[in-house]
Amino acid sequence: MPNTPSSNDNTPATATRRERRKEARPGELIDAALDLFVEKGFAATRVEEVAARAGVSKGTLFLYFPSKDELFKAVVRENISGRFVEWNSEFEGFEGSTGDMLGYCMNSWWERVGATKASGLTKLMMSEASNFPEIAAFYQQEVIQPGHTLIRRILQRGMDRGEFRSLDLDYAVYSVVAPMMFMILSRHSMGVCVPSNVELDPQRYIAAQLGVILNGFSLRPDDARPDARKA
Amino acid sequence: MPNTPSSNDNTPATATRRERRKEARPGELIDAALDLFVEKGFAATRVEEVAARAGVSKGTLFLYFPSKDELFKAVVRENISGRFVEWNSEFEGFEGSTGDMLGYCMNSWWERVGATKASGLTKLMMSEASNFPEIAAFYQQEVIQPGHTLIRRILQRGMDRGEFRSLDLDYAVYSVVAPMMFMILSRHSMGVCVPSNVELDPQRYIAAQLGVILNGFSLRPDDARPDARKA
Amino acid sequence: MPNTPSSNDNTPATATRRERRKEARPGELIDAALDLFVEKGFAATRVEEVAARAGVSKGTLFLYFPSKDELFKAVVRENISGRFVEWNSEFEGFEGSTGDMLGYCMNSWWERVGATKASGLTKLMMSEASNFPEIAAFYQQEVIQPGHTLIRRILQRGMDRGEFRSLDLDYAVYSVVAPMMFMILSRHSMGVCVPSNVELDPQRYIAAQLGVILNGFSLRPDDARPDARKA
Amino acid sequence: MPNTPSSNDNTPATATRRERRKEARPGELIDAALDLFVEKGFAATRVEEVAARAGVSKGTLFLYFPSKDELFKAVVRENISGRFVEWNSEFEGFEGSTGDMLGYCMNSWWERVGATKASGLTKLMMSEASNFPEIAAFYQQEVIQPGHTLIRRILQRGMDRGEFRSLDLDYAVYSVVAPMMFMILSRHSMGVCVPSNVELDPQRYIAAQLGVILNGFSLRPDDARPDARKA
DNA sequence: TATGAATGAGCTTTCATTCAT
DNA sequence: GATGAATGAAAGCTCATTCAT
């Protein structure tokens, strides 16, 4: 609220340094944790390191997060699952073609997650999910489910509006998801996905995948009739 | 098999049973380790388990591999060896349409890799590569490069024969690779890829992805005069 | 109670509310601590809980008691104060048989101590005494000594009046004390005294013990010529 | 088996030092643990101390006992619950009067448990049971239950044989148990039970309690008739 | 005086690695 | 060569105690 500076005049200037610290702490810890989790993985990151990077002691971390698990969940919430409300509402208000919509969706996902440190969390889950079932369940519920639901709704919209051909929805979702996941992996897995000395250009990569997908989803001349009657 | 000594005639007669045992040890340990690393991940696998599964003691394992890290490296090196010779020669002799070829390729990859223990190796690399840079480089050279080259050649063939539209080859490859990698992940990562209580059916999955891809690669009516109207 | 100032007239008018508060603090903390120490033991009670129950912050507790240990000592000291004056005077005036007297004594002890929070103090001493030698000495002087003396006097009265047989007084005292202590333990020690799913009924328990004790103290026919035949 | 030295001749003298250590380890650890648990309590004893006192490292302790809890259980089994088979069989074979039997029982309990370090375990349970429910349940099952059952059987025998009067068994048990527990407490609780400068003499204490109890259990002249017909 | 954020020693348990036998 | 007993560094978490405000 940069345009309502006077409205805070009654907030005492006495908000002490300590109080300000206290409010900032969770965020500082989450930032530090994101860095380290992404860099070293969940198991290999020691809470003491996280605390140290945030400039506090081990005990202080546990003042704000009751366990390492909860710290991780907070990191995920802050960096990924929190985004879905925004995306969902963008979907609701979108006016253009479903193809544009899908493109917008993939590109903005890339900007807000894929290109950021947050994408490291996805990689991390792939590596360590099986060792931390509770975290895996959380991630699955907070990230995977909403993501799938959103994409499903987009594809459904395309079919409803006659823009896409009739799709096996349960599986078509993965035509969108797989390239994105793959992109993340390629950025975090030391060339285990992509030939060395190749650096994928995200924009071009997304454009290419989108091109194939949209062409793949589109009505073929012969599809005109069979689907027409479906409605 | 102490009672079938003659069946081993091709082994030098000078190799006593003990020596043969000794030579077999590393292989047995590597097999056991592959199973366990794939099943539980690198960190969660205890060397004692590996030794036990190979039927030796913990100490013995360290006789053959100086550390757990080295054991891991041996596992990967041992299991990657010319996996592409066969496929390449099949490509040379293939007669049908490039669409069929791609379908054959994906399905046979599934049968020979995706559905087998070998896919565990892929998963292993994705999870652990960043901790073993040398191994990642090795894997990338022995597996990633040849794989990409093969798919590239297929797509090129499709374009050359006028079956596929003009593709950005560097990126189109991933339309094929990504869904396959994703499939492996979903099978090895405890549902961090796929919503819980959904079990992907490989055949249906591959069929669906192939459907989208081939449609996506295909010439559109307007493509006849390639890219003319795109602008 | 800001609106009932006159009701406190007997408090010196010079004591401001804040000062009164301040004087009450230690007592409130000690009460809270007694409850919690009894309920959960010394080690398992967190000072923060004590402070919370007393309605102050952790820091405030340390303003009044320099350490958890000192808090414990204060709890015991504060709760032991001339618990035996009353009983002693009742003993002086008692008119009935010594058997009735003992029964009265045990039952009233149960009502006034055993069944109340005060028994928690006894339990506390039994559990923690060895960690607080000075306190143990204090308790022993203020509680154990007077208690023993009282019971001794009762038994002596019984012998003097020919109601009880000749007893080894130093040890007979424990026939009375032991069952009472045991009762307290059984009520505070999670069934380490009494088989699970058994809940002792105090009245019945006391009646049973008293029955055995009185029968045990009573003159036997042969006791007429005391101890004569024992050899 | 000091009289069968030659029977061990076939044991190879090659039982290495290491092997001998290995067999002795659990016992050494249990002994060390008993000492420390009794001296400092369960919670306050660190496993590292136990290991150190047994002359091994922390890790070694966990080679033999999977957790601190299990170590404690082993200590209890070794020092208390193991005794009940012996006691029970002694009960079966006992020929004398039930009074003698009870006396024998109390005295031998004193010798084998009460007078030994093992009695510290009982004190420990009273202090810490509520903080370690699993251990409390174990103790209750392995020690309290069998003890009560044994005493019950003795009292029942006395009643069956017309030696004891009709007793409220559920509560009479405590006439035996309470004095014993009390004795233990007095030895471990720094004079919280017994006046200072009094050192209870166990033999005399037990004799005195037994005297009162047996007299208390015995048939009174008037009991002769009513109980006589009960049979 | 009162607060409560911050600290850090201390505890149990795990497991790769060593080495005497 | 093979064993497996022994080691000890680490790691997550708790809580009495301190001290800036």
Side-chain angles (χ1 to χ4, degrees):
Chain A
M1 308 170 181
N3 49 356
T4 60
S6 59
S7 67
N8 281 329
D9 276 354
N10 52 354
T11 320
T14 53
T16 64
R17 221 166 308 142
R18 195 147 184 166
E19 276 163 353
R20 258 179 283 122
R21 288 315 300 264
K22 191 201 166 184
E23 273 162 32
R25 279 284 136 75
E28 292 165 7
L29 285 162
I30 285 175
D31 287 351
L34 175 60
D35 283 0
L36 286 164
F37 282 150
V38 167
E39 184 186 332
K40 318 175 64 162
F42 180 77
T45 296
R46 281 172 303 123
V47 292
E48 192 158 18
E49 274 180 291
V50 175
R53 182 171 297 205
V56 298
S57 76
K58 206 183 352 177
T60 301
L61 186 152
F62 285 96
L63 230 45
Y64 294 95
F65 304 95
S67 71
K68 196 185 182 186
D69 280 20
E70 288 301 326
L71 173 62
F72 182 80
K73 290 182 186 174
V75 170
V76 172
R77 261 188 286 260
E78 190 72 23
N79 289 282
I80 309 188
S81 37
R83 302 289 160 78
F84 278 104
V85 286
E86 197 182 359
W87 270 315
N88 280 321
S89 72
E90 284 177 6
F91 168 80
E92 306 291 353
F94 201 91
E95 306 261 311
S97 79
T98 307
D100 287 351
M101 190 176 186
L102 199 57
Y104 173 76
C105 186
M106 287 172 77
N107 279 298
S108 82
W109 173 86
W110 177 253
E111 280 162 27
R112 299 181 210 174
V113 176
T116 73
K117 270 180 305 194
S119 65
L121 297 173
T122 303
K123 157 63 169 49
L124 182 161
M125 287 310 303
M126 295 188 194
S127 302
E128 312 195 54
S130 47
N131 300 126
F132 302 93
E134 200 206 314
I135 288 182
F138 167 84
Y139 187 82
Q140 145 73 48
Q141 187 182 53
E142 296 276 315
V143 180
I144 306 301
Q145 293 272 19
H148 273 246
T149 303
L150 178 56
I151 295 171
R152 241 174 181 280
R153 289 172 74 193
I154 296 176
L155 301 190
Q156 185 67 54
R157 179 183 188 267
M159 287 164 64
D160 290 347
R161 293 168 49 135
E163 297 170 283
F164 293 167
R165 62 182 166 105
S166 176
L167 297 165
D168 181 344
L169 260 195
D170 287 338
Y171 289 78
V173 175
Y174 299 110
S175 295
V176 180
V177 173
M180 300 284 97
M181 293 297 100
F182 185 87
M183 184 71 187
I184 283 183
L185 276 176
S186 83
R187 303 207 122 208
H188 289 280
S189 290
M190 305 209 57
V192 187
C193 297
V194 170
S196 64
N197 62 51
V198 170
E199 174 76 26
L200 286 186
D201 172 59
Q203 261 72 42
R204 235 176 112 200
Y205 176 84
I206 290 177
Q209 302 311 318
L210 192 61
V212 173
I213 292 170
L214 287 184
N215 204 19
F217 286 170
S218 72
L219 292 165
R220 315 249 41 203
D222 350 343
D223 292 333
R225 271 145 306 183
D227 279 303
R229 274 174 224 138
K230 260 193 180 167
Chain B
M1 311 169 183
N3 49 357
T4 60
S6 59
S7 67
N8 281 327
D9 275 354
N10 51 353
T11 355
T14 53
T16 68
R17 219 167 306 137
R18 183 162 184 155
E19 276 164 350
R20 258 182 281 124
R21 201 70 215 273
K22 179 191 160 192
E23 275 163 29
R25 278 284 143 74
E28 290 163 2
L29 284 162
I30 285 173
D31 286 352
L34 173 59
D35 285 358
L36 287 164
F37 284 156
V38 166
E39 184 186 335
K40 319 174 63 160
F42 177 76
T45 296
R46 295 198 320 267
V47 292
E48 191 158 20
E49 276 180 288
V50 175
R53 184 173 293 209
V56 300
S57 75
K58 208 175 3 172
T60 303
L61 186 151
F62 282 94
L63 233 44
Y64 292 98
F65 304 95
S67 73
K68 197 185 180 185
D69 281 20
E70 289 303 326
L71 172 62
F72 177 87
K73 294 180 187 172
V75 166
V76 176
R77 263 190 291 262
E78 190 68 21
N79 283 280
I80 301 169
S81 50
R83 275 173 31 184
F84 286 91
V85 255
E86 195 181 5
W87 269 313
N88 279 322
S89 71
E90 282 178 6
F91 168 80
E92 307 292 354
F94 201 92
E95 306 263 310
S97 78
T98 308
D100 287 350
M101 190 176 187
L102 199 55
Y104 172 77
C105 186
M106 286 172 77
N107 279 298
S108 81
W109 171 88
W110 177 252
E111 281 161 29
R112 299 184 209 173
V113 177
T116 74
K117 208 167 63 170
S119 69
L121 200 62
T122 305
K123 161 62 170 45
L124 208 48
M125 287 312 302
M126 297 200 220
S127 299
E128 313 286 347
S130 41
N131 301 125
F132 300 94
E134 326 139 51
I135 283 297
F138 177 72
Y139 183 81
Q140 124 77 42
Q141 188 181 49
E142 297 281 318
V143 179
I144 304 302
Q145 291 274 20
H148 274 246
T149 304
L150 176 57
I151 295 170
R152 242 175 179 281
R153 288 174 72 193
I154 296 175
L155 300 190
Q156 186 67 56
R157 179 184 190 266
M159 286 164 65
D160 290 349
R161 293 168 48 136
E163 297 168 286
F164 294 168
R165 63 183 167 106
S166 173
L167 297 166
D168 180 345
L169 257 196
D170 288 337
Y171 290 79
V173 176
Y174 299 111
S175 295
V176 180
V177 173
M180 301 284 97
M181 294 296 101
F182 186 86
M183 185 69 188
I184 284 184
L185 278 176
S186 83
R187 303 210 121 207
H188 287 283
S189 291
M190 286 201 58
V192 257
C193 297
V194 170
S196 60
N197 62 50
V198 171
E199 173 77 26
L200 288 186
D201 172 59
Q203 261 72 44
R204 228 175 120 202
Y205 175 84
I206 290 178
Q209 302 311 319
L210 193 60
V212 173
I213 292 170
L214 288 183
N215 204 17
F217 286 170
S218 71
L219 292 164
R220 315 252 35 206
D222 349 343
D223 289 336
R225 280 145 302 170
D227 291 358
R229 298 185 197 160
K230 258 195 179 166
Chain C
M1 311 170 182
N3 49 358
T4 60
S6 59
S7 67
N8 280 327
D9 276 353
N10 50 354
T11 356
T14 53
T16 69
R17 220 168 306 138
R18 183 164 185 156
E19 277 165 351
R20 258 182 282 126
R21 202 67 216 272
K22 178 192 161 193
E23 275 161 28
R25 278 284 144 72
E28 289 162 3
L29 284 162
I30 284 174
D31 286 352
L34 174 60
D35 286 359
L36 287 164
F37 284 156
V38 165
E39 186 186 333
K40 320 173 63 160
F42 177 77
T45 296
R46 295 199 320 267
V47 294
E48 191 157 21
E49 275 181 290
V50 175
R53 183 173 294 209
V56 300
S57 76
K58 212 179 353 178
T60 304
L61 187 152
F62 282 94
L63 233 44
Y64 292 98
F65 304 96
S67 73
K68 197 186 181 186
D69 280 21
E70 289 302 326
L71 173 62
F72 178 86
K73 294 180 187 172
V75 166
V76 177
R77 262 192 290 265
E78 189 68 22
N79 283 280
I80 301 172
S81 50
R83 271 169 38 180
F84 285 95
V85 258
E86 197 181 3
W87 270 312
N88 279 322
S89 70
E90 282 177 7
F91 169 79
E92 307 293 353
F94 201 90
E95 305 264 311
S97 79
T98 308
D100 286 352
M101 191 176 183
L102 199 57
Y104 172 77
C105 185
M106 287 172 77
N107 279 299
S108 80
W109 173 86
W110 177 252
E111 282 161 27
R112 297 183 210 175
V113 177
T116 74
K117 209 168 64 172
S119 68
L121 200 63
T122 306
K123 160 60 168 48
L124 208 47
M125 287 310 304
M126 297 198 223
S127 299
E128 312 286 348
S130 43
N131 300 125
F132 301 94
E134 327 139 49
I135 282 298
F138 178 71
Y139 184 80
Q140 124 78 44
Q141 188 181 48
E142 298 280 319
V143 179
I144 305 302
Q145 290 275 19
H148 274 247
T149 303
L150 177 56
I151 295 171
R152 240 174 182 282
R153 288 172 74 193
I154 296 175
L155 300 190
Q156 186 65 57
R157 180 185 188 265
M159 286 164 65
D160 290 347
R161 293 168 49 136
E163 295 169 287
F164 293 170
R165 62 182 168 107
S166 174
L167 298 165
D168 182 345
L169 260 194
D170 287 340
Y171 290 79
V173 177
Y174 300 111
S175 295
V176 180
V177 174
M180 300 286 97
M181 293 298 101
F182 186 86
M183 185 71 189
I184 284 182
L185 278 176
S186 82
R187 303 209 120 207
H188 288 282
S189 291
M190 287 202 58
V192 256
C193 296
V194 169
S196 61
N197 62 51
V198 170
E199 172 79 25
L200 286 187
D201 172 59
Q203 262 71 44
R204 229 176 119 200
Y205 175 83
I206 290 178
Q209 301 311 317
L210 193 60
V212 173
I213 291 171
L214 288 183
N215 203 18
F217 285 171
S218 73
L219 291 165
R220 314 247 42 202
D222 349 345
D223 289 337
R225 279 144 302 170
D227 291 358
R229 307 198 186 145
K230 260 194 177 166
Chain D
M1 312 168 183
N3 50 355
T4 60
S6 60
S7 68
N8 281 329
D9 277 354
N10 52 353
T11 320
T14 53
T16 66
R17 221 166 308 143
R18 193 148 184 163
E19 277 164 353
R20 257 180 284 125
R21 287 317 300 264
K22 189 202 168 184
E23 274 163 31
R25 277 285 139 74
E28 292 165 7
L29 285 162
I30 285 175
D31 287 351
L34 175 60
D35 284 0
L36 286 164
F37 282 151
V38 167
E39 184 185 333
K40 319 175 62 162
F42 179 77
T45 296
R46 282 172 300 124
V47 293
E48 192 158 18
E49 274 180 290
V50 174
R53 183 171 296 205
V56 299
S57 77
K58 210 177 356 176
T60 302
L61 187 151
F62 284 94
L63 230 44
Y64 294 96
F65 304 95
S67 71
K68 195 186 182 185
D69 280 22
E70 289 301 326
L71 173 61
F72 181 81
K73 291 182 186 175
V75 170
V76 171
R77 262 190 285 262
E78 189 71 24
N79 289 282
I80 308 189
S81 38
R83 300 291 160 76
F84 279 106
V85 288
E86 195 182 0
W87 271 315
N88 280 322
S89 72
E90 283 176 5
F91 168 81
E92 308 289 354
F94 202 89
E95 305 262 311
S97 78
T98 307
D100 287 351
M101 191 177 185
L102 200 56
Y104 173 77
C105 185
M106 287 171 76
N107 279 297
S108 82
W109 173 86
W110 178 253
E111 280 162 27
R112 299 181 210 173
V113 176
T116 73
K117 269 179 306 194
S119 65
L121 296 173
T122 304
K123 157 61 170 48
L124 184 161
M125 288 310 303
M126 296 187 192
S127 303
E128 311 195 56
S130 47
N131 300 125
F132 301 95
E134 200 205 316
I135 287 182
F138 168 82
Y139 187 81
Q140 145 72 48
Q141 188 182 53
E142 295 277 315
V143 179
I144 306 301
Q145 292 273 18
H148 273 246
T149 304
L150 178 56
I151 294 171
R152 245 174 176 280
R153 289 172 74 192
I154 295 176
L155 300 190
Q156 186 67 55
R157 180 185 189 265
M159 286 163 65
D160 289 347
R161 294 169 47 135
E163 297 169 284
F164 293 169
R165 63 183 165 103
S166 175
L167 297 164
D168 181 346
L169 259 194
D170 287 339
Y171 289 79
V173 176
Y174 299 111
S175 294
V176 180
V177 173
M180 301 284 96
M181 292 298 100
F182 186 86
M183 184 72 188
I184 283 182
L185 276 176
S186 82
R187 305 207 120 208
H188 288 281
S189 288
M190 305 211 56
V192 186
C193 298
V194 170
S196 64
N197 63 52
V198 170
E199 173 76 28
L200 287 185
D201 173 58
Q203 261 71 43
R204 235 176 113 200
Y205 175 84
I206 290 178
Q209 302 312 319
L210 192 60
V212 173
I213 292 170
L214 287 183
N215 204 18
F217 286 170
S218 72
L219 292 165
R220 313 256 33 209
D222 346 346
D223 291 335
R225 271 147 303 184
D227 280 303
R229 275 177 221 136
K230 263 193 175 166

